[in-house]
C-alpha cells in the first residue's frame, strides 16, 4: 500500500487539482455567457457539485494512470516531435483554428451573449474570448486583416486614412524585406486572413515549445523530462498566454532561445556547409528579435540570452575554430546590411515614433516594486478563471511565469556550495537577476538606467523576466543535484522536510496576501497546496521526486495555460457580420472614401479596416501630424496628439477640441464643419447624428452609417 501511494500519489494530487480547476473554468465560462456565478465561484456547495468534481477527478486519474502505464509512447512522441508539430500546424491552419478573441466584437458592437449557442455562432469552440486583450482582437488582428485589401503592400492608406508604414511597430504582414525576419506572418501572404491567422497562432505555439525543449536539453544535461517541464513552464505560462499576440514576446523567446541552440550546434558541428546554414539561422534569429520593436522586454531578455550565450562560448571554448569566427563575422556583416536597409526604409516612421510624447519620451528608472509582488505566481495560475477573482491591477499585468521564486535562486547557490564548484551559468544568471531585482525594488540612477538601456523598460516587464531566470535556475539545478536516496527515505527526514515545505508554502502565501492581493479561499487553498507540494519534492531531492515534480509542472502549467485563450474557428464573425457587410458594399463602390468611427469607447474602432475601409481613426501607430495640424494650426495641442493613440471621435456643434483620455487614447470632439478639413466621407456611428451636413445612408446592425454631404 505504501509503494502504491508513493508511486501514484502524485497522480491523485494532480487529478484533484485538475478537477477543481476544470470546474472553476466551466463556471467562469458560464458566467461569461449568463452573467451569474454558481457552484465553487459562489461558494455554493451542493451534492451535484461534489458529484461533478468526483467525475472530473476520476476521469483525470484514469487518463494519467493510462499515460503512466503506456509511457513508452512518449519515446515515439519525442522521436517524431517535429512531424507532430507540423501536423498540429497543418490541422489548425486547414480548419482555421486560432486563439484569437475576435468574438469579443460581438458584444462591443451592441449585442450580448445570452446563451452558449450564441458563443458557438461566433466561432468559439473552447473557452471564451478575452475582452481585456484589446491589443490583440481589437488592434493587431484587424490591422493584419486590412492588409488583404492592400495586396500586402509595405505601405497602406487603409490605416489612418493616409500613407502608413505597416512594416514597423505592429509588424503587419507585407511583401517587404522586414517580413523576411517574421516567418509567422508568411501564412497571411500565402493563404489570406483566415488561414493566416490560424497559422500565426499555431506555428508560434509549436515553435516556442519545440525550441524551448531543445534549449532546455542543452542547459539541462539532456534531461528530457525536465526539458519538457521547462518547455511547458515557458510556452503555457500565464505571461506568454496573456500576451501571446502582442509585443512580440513569443518571437523574442523563440528567436532568443533558438539563437542559443544554433550557437551551441555551430560549435559542435564540423561540416562547413552545415555551419553556413546555422549562421543563416542566426541571422534570422537576430533580425527577428531586433524587429520586435518592444524594448520594454527586449532589453531585459537580451541580458538573459547574452549571459547564456557567453556561458555557451566559454564552456565550449576549446571547440571554437578560426572558421567559426570568420563565419560569425560574416554573419554580422550580412545581418548589419539587411537590418540597415530595413531601418532605412522605415526611418521616417522610426523617427516619428521616437519623437512622440508616448511612447517615445517614456523613461523609467525602476524602483517602487514591492517584494510580495515576486510571489504573485502562486495564484496567477487562476487568472484564466476570471479577471476579477484576484483583485490587483488587471489580469494581464498580474500574469507572470510560475517562477517558484526564490527556490531556483536558492537551489542554484546551494548546488554550487555542495559541489564545491562555481558554475558560470549560475553565476551569470544570478548576477543578472540581482541586477534586475535592484532595478525593480530600489531603482537605478538616471545615468545607469540609460547606459544599461533599462530606462526603456519598466518594472513589471523586468519582473516577468526575473521569473524566467528563476525557472531556468531551478530546472538546471534539478538536472545536476545528487543526493543519496537512503538518507532521504528515512521517515524522520521526510517528516521534517514536509513540515518545512508546509511552513514555507503557508508563509509565502501569507506574505503575498499581506502585500495587498485578495482572492477567495477556493483559489488560495489549491494554490498554497501546490507550492507546498513543489517545495516538498525539491527538498526530497530523489530521482523519483524530480520526476514527480516535472510531471506536476507539465500537467498543471499546460492545463492552466491552455485555458487562457479560446479556440476560435474562422473569422466570418468579424469580416462578414452585419456591420462589415454594409461597410464592404460602400467600400466596393467608393474605395477611396475616408471614414471615421464614433463609439462610446475606442475598442471596436478598427472594425471597418477588416474590409478595407480607409479609416482615419484606426489606431494611430504613429501620429498623423499633417492631419491634426489642420485642426490645430498653431500646434497648441501637439502634446495631446503627438503619440501612439487610439482615437475617439465625436461630431459636435461647438468648437473642435482635443482631449487626453489615457496615455494611449485621445478624443477629438470635431465641429461638423471641420469634417471637411479631415476629408471625411463616411461616418460609422453607434448613435444617431443630427449635423446638417450629414446624410443618413443605412442602418448597419446596431450602428448608423452617414455620408458627409
Amino acid at each position: 500500500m505504501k509503494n502504491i501511494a508513493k508511486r501514484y500519489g502524485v497522480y491523485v494530487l494532480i487529478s484533484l487539482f485538475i478537477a477543481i480547476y476544470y470546474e472553476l473554468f466551466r463556471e467562469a465560462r458560464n458566467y461569461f455567457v449568463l452573467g451569474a456565478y454558481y457552484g465553487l465561484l459562489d461558494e455554493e456547495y451542493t451534492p451535484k457539485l461534489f458529484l461533478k468534481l468526483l467525475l472530473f477527478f476520476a476521469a483525470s486519474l484514469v487518463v494519467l494512470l493510462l499515460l503512466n502505464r503506456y509511457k513508452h509512447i512518449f519515446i515515439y512522441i519525442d522521436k517524431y516531435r517535429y512531424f507532430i508539430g507540423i501536423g498540429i500546424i497543418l490541422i489548425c491552419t486547414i480548419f482555421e483554428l486560432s486563439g484569437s478573441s475576435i468574438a469579443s466584437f460581438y458584444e462591443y458592437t451592441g449585442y450580448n451573449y445570452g446563451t452558449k449557442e450564441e458563443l458557438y455562432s461566433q466561432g468559439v469552440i473552447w473557452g471564451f474570448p478575452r475582452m481585456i486583450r484589446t491589443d490583440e482582437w481589437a488592434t493587431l488582428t484587424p490591422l493584419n486583416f486590412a492588409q488583404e485589401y492592400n495586396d500586402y503592400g509595405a505601405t497602406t492608406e487603409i490605416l489612418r486614412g493616409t500613407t502608413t508604414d505597416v512594416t514597423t511597430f505592429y509588424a503587419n504582414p507585407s511583401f517587404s524585406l522586414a517580413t523576411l525576419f517574421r516567418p509567422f506572418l508568411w501564412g497571411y501572404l500565402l493563404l489570406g486572413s483566415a488561414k493566416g491567422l490560424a497559422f500565426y497562432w499555431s506555428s508560434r505555439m509549436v515553435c516556442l515549445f519545440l525550441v524551448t525543449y531543445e534549449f532546455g536539453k542543452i542547459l539541462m544535461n539532456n534531461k528530457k523530462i525536465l526539458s519538457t517541464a521547462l518547455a511547458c513552464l515557458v510556452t503555457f505560462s500565464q505571461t506568454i498566454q496573456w500576451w501571446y499576440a502582442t509585443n512580440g514576446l513569443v518571437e523574442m523567446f523563440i528567436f532568443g532561445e533558438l539563437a542559443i541552440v544554433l550557437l551551441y550546434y555551430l560549435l559542435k558541428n564540423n561540416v562547413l556547409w552545415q555551419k553556413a546554414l546555422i549562421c543563416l539561422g542566426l541571422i534570422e534569429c537576430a533580425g527577428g528579435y531586433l524587429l520586435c520593436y518592444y524594448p520594454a522586454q527586449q532589453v531585459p531578455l537580451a541580458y538573459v540570452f547574452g549571459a547564456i550565450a557567453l556561458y555557451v562560448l566559454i564552456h565550449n571554448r576549446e571547440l571554437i575554430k578560426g572558421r567559426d569566427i570568420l563565419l560569425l563575422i560574416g554573419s554580422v556583416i550580412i545581418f548589419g546590411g539587411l537590418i540597415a536597409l530595413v531601418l532605412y526604409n522605415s526611418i521616417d516612421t522610426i523617427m516619428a515614433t521616437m519623437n512622440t510624447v508616448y511612447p517615445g519620451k517614456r523613461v523609467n528608472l525602476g524602483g517602487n516594486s514591492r517584494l510580495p509582488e515576486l510571489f504573485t505566481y502562486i495564484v496567477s495560475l487562476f487568472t484564466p478563471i476570471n479577471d476579477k477573482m484576484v483583485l490587483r491591477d488587471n489580469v494581464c499585468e498580474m500574469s507572470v511565469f510560475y517562477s517558484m521564486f526564490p527556490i531556483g535562486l536558492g537551489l542554484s547557490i546551494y548546488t554550487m556550495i555542495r559541489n564545491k564548484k562555481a558554475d558560470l551559468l549560475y553565476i551569470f544568471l544570478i548576477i543578472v537577476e540581482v541586477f534586475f531585482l535592484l532595478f525593480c525594488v530600489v531603482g537605478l540612477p538616471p545615468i545607469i538606467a540609460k547606459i544599461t538601456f533599462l530606462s526603456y523598460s519598466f518594472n513589471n516587464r523586468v519582473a516577468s523576466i526575473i521569473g524566467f531566470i528563476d525557472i531556468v535556475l531551478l530546472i538546471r539545478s534539478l538536472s545536476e543535484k545528487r543526493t543519496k536516496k537512503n538518507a532521504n527515505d528515512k521517515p524522520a527526514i521526510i517528516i521534517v522536510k514536509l513540515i518545512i515545505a508546509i511552513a514555507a508554502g503557508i508563509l509565502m502565501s501569507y506574505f503575498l496576501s499581506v502585500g495587498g492581493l485578495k482572492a477567495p479561499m477556493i483559489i488560495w487553498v489549491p494554490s498554497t497546496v501546490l507550492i507546498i507540494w513543489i517545495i516538498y519534492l525539491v527538498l526530497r531531492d530523489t530521482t523519483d521526486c524530480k520526476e514527480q515534480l516535472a510531471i506536476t509542472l507539465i500537467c498543471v502549467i499546460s492545463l492552466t495555460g491552455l485555458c487562457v485563450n479560446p479556440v476560435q474557428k474562422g473569422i466570418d464573425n468579424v469580416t462578414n457580420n452585419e456591420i462589415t457587410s454594409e461597410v464592404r458594399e460602400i467600400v466596393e463602390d467608393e474605395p477611396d472614401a475616408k471614414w471615421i468611427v464614433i463609439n462610446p469607447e475606442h475598442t471596436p474602432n478598427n472594425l471597418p479596416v477588416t474590409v478595407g475601409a480607409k479609416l482615419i481613426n484606426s489606431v494611430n501607430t504613429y501620429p498623423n501630424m499633417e492631419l491634426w495640424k489642420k485642426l490645430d494650426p498653431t500646434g497648441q495641442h501637439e502634446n495631446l496628439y503627438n503619440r501612439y493613440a487610439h482615437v475617439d471621435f465625436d461630431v459636435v456643434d461647438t468648437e473642435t477640441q482635443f482631449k487626453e483620455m489615457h496615455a494611449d487614447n485621445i478624443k477629438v470632439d470635431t465641429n461638423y464643419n471641420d469634417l471637411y478639413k479631415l476629408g471625411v466621407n463616411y461616418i460609422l456611428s453607434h448613435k444617431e447624428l443630427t449635423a446638417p451636413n450629414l446624410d443618413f445612408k443605412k442602418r448597419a446592425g446596431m450602428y448608423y452609417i452617414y455620408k458627409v454631404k
Side-chain angles (χ1 to χ4, degrees), residues 66-83:
L66 285 173
L67 289 174
N68 179 71
R69 173 66 178 81
Y70 299 102
K71 58 185 177 183
H72 59 273
I73 193 175
F74 293 108
I75 297 174
Y76 297 99
I77 291 175
D78 177 66
K79 182 177 181 180
Y80 298 108
R81 61 189 180 276
Y82 293 111
F83 295 103

Side-chain angles (χ1 to χ4, degrees), residues 417-476:
I417 294 173
R418 178 181 178 141
N419 294 341
K420 298 179 181 179
K421 181 180 178 181
D423 184 290
L424 283 179
L425 182 60
Y426 290 144
I427 293 172
F428 290 161
L429 290 179
I430 290 171
I431 290 172
V432 173
E433 178 164 346
V434 171
F435 178 55
F436 286 171
L437 286 170
L438 286 173
F439 173 82
C440 291
V441 178
V442 180
L444 300 176
I447 184 65
I448 300 298
K450 290 181 180 179
I451 290 174
T452 59
F453 296 102
L454 285 180
S455 59
Y456 291 106
S457 189
F458 39 101
N459 295 27
N460 57 348
R461 299 293 181 263
V462 174
S464 69
I465 307 306
I466 291 174
F468 174 64
I469 298 174
D470 281 314
I471 290 171
V472 174
L473 288 174
L474 174 63
I475 302 299
R476 180 172 167 85

Side-chain angles (χ1 to χ4, degrees), residues 16-45:
L16 281 171
F17 183 90
I18 291 173
I20 293 172
Y21 197 93
Y22 184 63
E23 173 59 23
L24 286 171
F25 184 70
R26 286 180 67 254
E27 293 175 10
R29 191 171 190 262
N30 285 330
Y31 173 77
F32 177 84
V33 175
L34 304 174
Y37 289 122
Y38 71 93
L40 291 175
L41 291 178
D42 196 37
E43 298 183 350
E44 180 183 312
Y45 305 109

Side-chain angles (χ1 to χ4, degrees), residues 611-654:
V611 290
K614 295 182 177 180
L615 185 63
I616 291 173
N617 65 319
S618 64
V619 60
N620 280 211
T621 50
Y622 56 101
N624 187 355
M625 300 297 286
E626 183 179 350
L627 180 73
W628 302 132
K629 289 292 186 181
K630 293 178 181 178
L631 299 182
D632 181 35
T634 63
Q636 178 183 355
H637 303 291
E638 185 172 327
N639 279 347
L640 296 179
Y641 52 76
N642 183 21
R643 65 183 67 217
Y644 167 98
H646 298 278
V647 182
D648 297 337
F649 265 110
D650 201 358
V651 176
V652 299
D653 56 7
T654 56

Side-chain angles (χ1 to χ4, degrees), residues 110-253:
Y111 301 93
N112 289 306
Y113 286 112
T115 64
K116 292 180 181 178
E117 288 69 29
E118 284 184 277
L119 197 58
Y120 296 140
S121 72
Q122 297 301 300
V124 181
I125 59 179
W126 162 262
F128 50 98
R130 300 298 182 171
M131 293 187 176
I132 196 170
R133 293 308 305 129
T134 54
D135 284 351
E136 182 269 316
W137 65 266
T139 306
L140 175 66
T141 301
L143 268 56
N144 286 343
F145 290 175
Q147 278 294 89
E148 186 171 344
Y149 294 86
N150 183 48
D151 295 326
Y152 296 104
T155 61
T156 181
E157 291 192 358
I158 294 174
L159 308 182
R160 305 190 308 156
T162 189
T163 303
T164 301
D165 175 15
V166 297
T167 68
T168 325
F169 301 111
Y170 260 114
N172 306 122
S174 64
F175 288 106
S176 64
L177 181 59
T179 308
L180 176 67
F181 298 103
R182 293 164 178 156
F184 306 111
L185 294 179
W186 296 351
Y188 281 102
L189 305 180
L190 300 173
L191 305 170
S193 294
K195 288 181 171 57
L197 177 67
F199 177 82
Y200 177 74
W201 277 81
S202 59
S203 62
R204 293 159 85 238
M205 186 84 73
V206 168
C207 286
L208 179 58
F209 185 90
L210 292 176
V211 167
T212 306
Y213 178 72
E214 300 298 338
F215 173 78
K217 285 202 299 180
I218 291 173
L219 300 185
M220 315 308 165
N221 300 310
N222 205 37
K223 300 292 193 303
K224 293 183 179 180
I225 191 167
L226 290 176
S227 299
T228 304
L230 177 67
C232 291
L233 281 163
V234 173
T235 306
F236 303 116
S237 69
Q238 299 298 305
T239 297
I240 292 293
Q241 293 302 316
W242 279 107
W243 295 96
Y244 186 80
T246 55
N247 298 344
L249 183 59
V250 174
E251 284 82 354
M252 291 179 212
F253 274 98

